[in-house]
Amino acid sequence: MDAIVDVDYRLTEMSPEFVLVDERFIGTRRAWRCFESTPGSDLAQLAASLLRRRYWSAAVLLLDCLDVYGLNACLHMNTRAALSWLLHKEMAHVLMVASYLECQARSCRTTMPPTCSDWVLCRAPGALPPSIPACSKLDAGSAMLAKVECMLCSLGLLISQDVLLVCKLARLIQLLLRIAIDGDCSLKSLSTGELLLTCKRILRRIVLPALSLITPNPGVTLEIWEAIKELGYEDRFLLYLGWRGRSLERDSIGVKHYELSFVECTAGFEARRMLKRVANERKFSKHVGRQLAKIAHSNPLVVFHVILCQIESYDNMIIPLIDSFAYMTPLALDVLAFMLPHRLAASSRAKLLPDGMTLSQWFQHLAHFTGLYYRTYPMTELHGLMDFILSRCVFLILSLPN
């Protein structure tokens, strides 16, 4: 380890062009080019070799040591590919255990033993039929899940460059959530509560931020939605709140990851450009709706933030925009259901005019849009809005004088 420290220290002083890789530069081409052309790439090659041979305990020590000195070895192409390959292997093992447990839970609900055909339908590649003992796999389930989570944290947002890995991770989380919510967790030393927290932590820190960096892909979005919809609306809205962070678009520069801020600004610019066409060319509203939905596949928070800001100012855009939501994914519509109470509860703007009798224009437009939206799409989550309305009514009743 001393040799590694000496190399890193010499690297930062002898190479003035070297970019110290922090969170703002993960994934940028400049960071890749500088890291691959410096002596530090030898350490990255060493980490890649350890990962290819599945020496994770040794590789994680090297990755942590490089991270202390500002070097992200996963920026190196070979290290990133090796870690993705190892994640595929480890997740296949965890997926095998999770699919077996889910099959057992389903058989308990139907009071019928799982058949070989049922196991084949839900098993992962390389899984064993239920007739073969899997006690050793169940005993190591919690350790495997913790190992996968540690690997995901090391890879970070670079997982967005492997779409297949993101889809596989979403399917794994979906199975684990089913097991945790049903209360039938057979992973030794791992309770259902811990399993649920682990899944929500991976969704909040890895999956949803990575979705923002993926090229708009409705298939990936639907895979992630299949996992998220296993949670209740409160847990889902907390995930969206963490995904949003402190701010969006330009206000997120310096607060969020550099690449996240960049894609949010790009998505906001494209959404505003499309909304101009909605206002000027009504006959092209369907085409504009498809383009907005395409942007919202990866960044629904940004798209709906722009849309709600426009609606609060121009009520003539409400109907064409609601018609365009027919092309949105269920995840995007659920994000809108999260954002509406958040906008209605905004305390930074007055909801009444100075006369104290008339509603403000922005509040009237937003309330009209909310009612028309839920009438047009009745399958959208309504519990969040009803909880908001009831809580406001209780607050007003308690604030009345006796």
Side-chain angles (χ1 to χ4, degrees):
M1 287 299 177
D2 295 337
I4 295 175
V5 173
D6 293 338
V7 171
D8 293 337
Y9 181 79
R10 184 171 62 252
L11 180 63
T12 55
E13 289 200 347
M14 293 178 60
S15 305
E17 295 295 325
F18 181 76
V19 178
L20 287 179
V21 182
D22 58 5
E23 288 188 350
R24 293 176 300 171
F25 294 98
I26 292 179
T28 59
R29 295 181 179 178
R30 184 184 176 194
W32 293 345
R33 185 166 56 252
C34 293
F35 189 55
E36 292 180 357
S37 62
T38 55
S41 62
D42 296 337
L43 300 176
Q45 292 286 4
L46 176 59
S49 299
L50 292 172
L51 292 171
R52 287 290 182 184
R53 287 159 179 79
R54 298 193 179 188
Y55 296 147
W56 171 246
S57 58
V60 69
L61 293 176
L62 179 58
L63 294 176
D64 291 342
C65 184
L66 292 175
D67 186 65
V68 169
Y69 290 91
L71 299 174
N72 188 348
C74 291
L75 290 177
H76 197 279
M77 181 175 60
N78 293 337
T79 307
R80 185 172 62 254
L83 186 53
S84 297
W85 172 83
L86 185 58
L87 268 170
H88 277 287
K89 298 295 183 181
E90 295 295 332
M91 285 175 56
H93 201 182
V94 181
L95 190 60
M96 176 189 65
V97 177
S99 59
Y100 180 71
L101 294 176
E102 201 274 337
C103 187
Q104 281 187 328
R106 187 174 61 182
S107 65
C108 293
R109 291 193 297 267
T110 58
T111 66
M112 293 180 62
T115 63
C116 292
S117 59
D118 292 337
W119 175 250
V120 170
L121 289 175
C122 64
R123 74 181 181 91
L128 299 177
S131 58
I132 299 178
C135 297
S136 59
K137 295 180 177 61
L138 297 178
D139 292 341
S142 60
M144 289 189 299
L145 187 59
K147 185 178 179 181
V148 168
E149 184 182 7
C150 184
M151 291 180 182
L152 290 171
C153 292
S154 298
L155 188 59
L157 296 182
L158 294 174
I159 193 177
S160 60
Q161 300 183 20
D162 192 341
V163 177
L164 180 60
L165 184 60
V166 176
C167 293
K168 186 180 291 186
L169 180 59
R171 294 185 181 184
L172 173 62
I173 292 175
Q174 180 185 3
L175 284 175
L176 294 177
L177 286 175
R178 287 179 183 175
I179 296 170
I181 294 174
D182 290 342
D184 183 18
C185 181
S186 302
L187 296 179
K188 193 173 182 178
S189 73
L190 191 66
S191 65
T192 55
E194 292 174 350
L195 183 59
L196 189 60
L197 289 176
T198 301
C199 293
K200 291 192 289 187
R201 188 164 56 243
I202 294 175
L203 285 171
R204 184 178 66 254
R205 298 180 180 179
I206 304 295
V207 177
L208 289 178
L211 177 62
S212 299
L213 299 179
I214 296 175
T215 304
N217 189 329
V220 179
T221 306
L222 291 175
E223 288 285 354
I224 295 175
W225 168 247
E226 289 296 324
I228 293 179
K229 74 177 185 179
E230 299 291 337
L231 297 170
Y233 79 95
E234 293 180 344
D235 292 330
R236 294 202 310 271
F237 286 5
L238 287 176
L239 289 178
Y240 301 150
L241 184 62
W243 189 11
R244 182 185 183 277
R246 297 180 183 177
S247 54
L248 294 170
E249 296 188 76
R250 290 177 294 179
D251 295 335
S252 66
I253 297 177
V255 178
K256 288 185 180 179
H257 189 285
Y258 168 79
E259 286 291 319
L260 288 176
S261 299
F262 177 76
V263 296
E264 285 183 1
C265 291
T266 304
F269 172 79
E270 293 294 333
R272 289 183 178 88
R273 186 168 64 87
M274 290 294 109
L275 289 178
K276 289 181 180 178
R277 298 191 61 184
V278 172
N280 298 329
E281 305 172 2
R282 289 290 186 86
K283 60 181 179 180
F284 297 120
S285 59
K286 290 186 178 180
H287 172 71
V288 173
R290 294 189 183 97
Q291 295 298 319
L292 283 174
K294 183 178 179 180
I295 303 171
H297 289 334
S298 299
N299 292 278
L301 287 166
V302 178
V303 173
F304 288 122
H305 172 73
V306 174
I307 288 176
L308 293 179
C309 289
Q310 293 289 326
I311 285 173
E312 290 172 359
S313 301
Y314 310 103
D315 61 341
N316 61 337
M317 299 179 65
I318 293 178
I319 295 179
L321 282 175
I322 287 181
D323 293 339
S324 68
F325 290 168
Y327 306 100
M328 297 286 181
T329 60
L331 176 62
L333 296 179
D334 198 55
V335 169
L336 180 57
F338 154 74
M339 295 186 68
L340 285 174
H342 185 268
R343 300 285 296 192
L344 290 170
S347 58
S348 58
R349 294 175 295 176
K351 298 180 177 63
L352 294 175
L353 294 179
D355 59 4
M357 299 292 293
T358 309
L359 292 174
S360 300
Q361 184 181 22
W362 71 270
F363 191 69
Q364 291 184 30
H365 294 173
L366 188 59
H368 180 211
F369 169 80
T370 303
L372 192 59
Y373 166 70
Y374 278 103
R375 188 178 68 182
T376 308
Y377 304 98
M379 299 303 294
T380 310
E381 182 64 62
L382 189 60
H383 290 86
L385 182 64
M386 295 304 297
D387 279 354
F388 165 73
I389 295 175
L390 290 176
S391 63
R392 294 297 298 174
C393 292
V394 171
F395 176 76
L396 291 175
I397 292 173
L398 294 178
S399 62
L400 292 175
N402 294 329

